[in-house]
Amino acid sequence: MTRTARDLLRTITAELAPDPRSNPLVPRIAAGEADREVLALLALEQARVIPADRRAFLQLAVRSTAEPEADAYFTALAEGEALAQQRLPAFAAACGVDEDRAAAYLPLPGCQAYPAYVAWLALNAPPADAVLAVTANFSAWGGYCATIAAALRTHHGFDDEACAFFDFFAEPAEHLDRAAERAVQAALDAGRLDERRARAYGHLLQSYEALFWRTLERPA
């Protein structure tokens, strides 16, 4: 039986689902055990991750001109990152981060490994393989954001504006799911998808995301 893009996306997303033990920080946030300084670091790091990822997705879109389905997917991702970036300052302000601190902040290498690898994918990965890897990774990220948004309201009294960054990523993105499915199906039909390579990309993305959260938990 011919394998469909939907089946492949579900399979790889399940295979790459992170071990709950790989992210010790989000459970602490959920339990109200993370103080505002940790949340401030999260805001400061995301202030660098989001614009970097947006530019990487735009580059992948440019490299996908011969693959219109992948082009549409990465363009939609870049647009989403731009919307998320607009919502981030309210979270940072609620954490006590002002412009002076943001300007003087030195990013943590363990947190910036993730966007550095996304940038590597933008330059080196075949677009269809990158679609598969990125889509699998985003499944875990959305769940983390839903947990954090709830915890910010419950334990820190943050209002909707301060939580909007996480609410945005926590919302189901059916249009992105459909776009990813179309891109992967087109690649399967054309015989240009390398599943083993895409799995390797996805594994590294998940590993770098786990490193992001572990670094935030112990920033020193």
Side-chain angles (χ1 to χ4, degrees), residues 45-198:
E45 293 295 334
Q46 285 296 326
R48 283 148 175 87
V49 172
I50 295 298
D53 283 357
R54 176 180 174 273
R55 287 189 289 270
F57 295 144
L58 287 173
Q59 175 64 18
L60 277 161
V62 169
R63 292 182 54 229
S64 303
T65 52
E67 304 174 35
E69 296 84 2
D71 183 352
Y73 175 73
F74 287 118
T75 298
L77 284 185
E79 291 170 350
E81 297 293 309
L83 292 173
Q85 190 171 358
Q86 295 172 9
R87 291 160 170 76
L88 186 56
F91 170 60
C95 296
V97 175
D98 59 21
E99 291 184 5
D100 289 342
R101 182 177 181 185
Y105 181 69
L106 185 64
L108 300 170
C111 289
Q112 295 305 310
Y114 177 93
Y117 186 63
V118 175
W120 185 94
L121 292 176
L123 294 174
N124 296 283
D129 297 350
V131 170
L132 198 54
V134 168
T135 302
N137 175 251
F138 275 3
S139 177
W141 167 245
Y144 294 152
C145 287
T147 298
I148 293 171
L152 293 178
R153 290 181 168 93
T154 300
H155 300 297
H156 297 278
F158 283 15
D159 61 18
D160 288 346
E161 185 180 11
C163 297
F165 174 81
F166 298 100
D167 289 338
F168 175 77
F169 284 115
E171 292 175 357
E174 294 180 0
H175 67 294
L176 286 178
D177 293 338
R178 291 192 297 269
E181 188 175 329
R182 287 192 293 267
V184 172
Q185 190 63 58
L188 284 172
D189 294 344
R192 59 173 177 258
L193 183 67
D194 187 324
E195 292 183 31
R196 185 170 66 176
R197 188 166 53 200

